[in-house]
């Protein structure tokens, strides 16, 4: 009986740990053509909204690149350190109504993010243009 109770407690503890995973933390962003890690994005909360900052660009030669095609206050800022994900709000298990900027072309896309239900170490990042969308998968950076 004690073994059965212990197994139940361990199962519940592990289940809560899995569901306690959040979108917050550091994520590996991949090059969709090569599969190589392109950058590390730090997803954080500020004033009740969710943001994502480029914390590291993996290619040393690109670390000083500026977002020359960005508009507004992001124009000509270093990409490394730039907040590219802005203003996401929690809605159920997703974060919605945010935007994500592609620093390569300066385009800003409506976006939403959520954890993969089968693997909480995968963050789904979806950008929209009208009715069309593209979903990327980022991998949680292990400490």
């Amino acid at each position: 009986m004690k073994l059965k109770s212990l197994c139940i407690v361990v199962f519940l503890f592990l289940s809560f740990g899995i569901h306690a995973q959040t979108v917050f933390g550091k994520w590996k962003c991949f090059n969709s053509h090569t599969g190589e890690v392109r950058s590390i994005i730090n997803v954080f909360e500020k004033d009740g909204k969710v943001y994502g900052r480029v914390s590291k660009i993996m290619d040393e030669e690109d670390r000083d690149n500026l977002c020359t095609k960005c508009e507004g206050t992001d124009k000509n800022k270093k990409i490394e350190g730039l907040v590219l994900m802005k203003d996401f709000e929690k809605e159920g298990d997703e974060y919605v109504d945010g935007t994500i900027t592609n620093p390569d072309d300066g385009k800003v896309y409506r976006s939403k993010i959520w954890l993969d239900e089968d693997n909480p170490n995968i963050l789904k990042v979806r950008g929209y243009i009208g009715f069309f969308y593209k979903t990327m998968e980022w991998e949680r950076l292990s400490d």
Side-chain angles (χ1 to χ4, degrees), residues 13-77:
F13 177 77
L14 291 174
S15 295
F16 286 125
I18 289 171
H19 293 295
Q21 295 268 4
T22 70
V23 299
F24 305 116
K26 292 187 177 179
W27 299 89
K28 294 186 272 187
C29 177
F30 298 90
N31 179 311
S32 59
H33 301 293
T34 66
E36 294 178 1
V37 177
R38 185 173 182 189
S39 60
I40 304 298
I41 308 295
N42 183 28
V43 177
F44 62 96
E45 185 175 16
K46 179 180 175 188
D47 299 328
K49 294 193 177 189
V50 175
Y51 299 85
R53 176 185 318 275
V54 180
S55 65
K56 183 176 183 180
I57 294 176
M58 303 312 284
D59 187 341
E60 286 186 41
E61 293 178 10
D62 293 338
R63 289 195 179 143
D64 290 327
N65 286 356
L66 303 178
C67 197
T68 57
K69 296 184 179 179
C70 289
E71 296 183 358
T73 59
D74 292 339
K75 185 163 184 66
N76 293 323
K77 285 190 176 177

Side-chain angles (χ1 to χ4, degrees), residues 58-105:
M58 303 312 284
D59 187 341
E60 286 186 41
E61 293 178 10
D62 293 338
R63 289 195 179 143
D64 290 327
N65 286 356
L66 303 178
C67 197
T68 57
K69 296 184 179 179
C70 289
E71 296 183 358
T73 59
D74 292 339
K75 185 163 184 66
N76 293 323
K77 285 190 176 177
K78 268 183 72 171
I79 296 171
E80 190 171 84
L82 192 63
V83 177
L84 297 178
M85 299 171 61
K86 298 177 181 175
D87 299 322
F88 289 84
E89 297 179 352
K90 187 162 178 58
E91 183 177 281
D93 291 336
E94 299 178 342
Y95 291 82
V96 299
D97 297 329
T99 61
I100 188 164
T101 301
N102 180 348
D104 295 330
D105 60 17

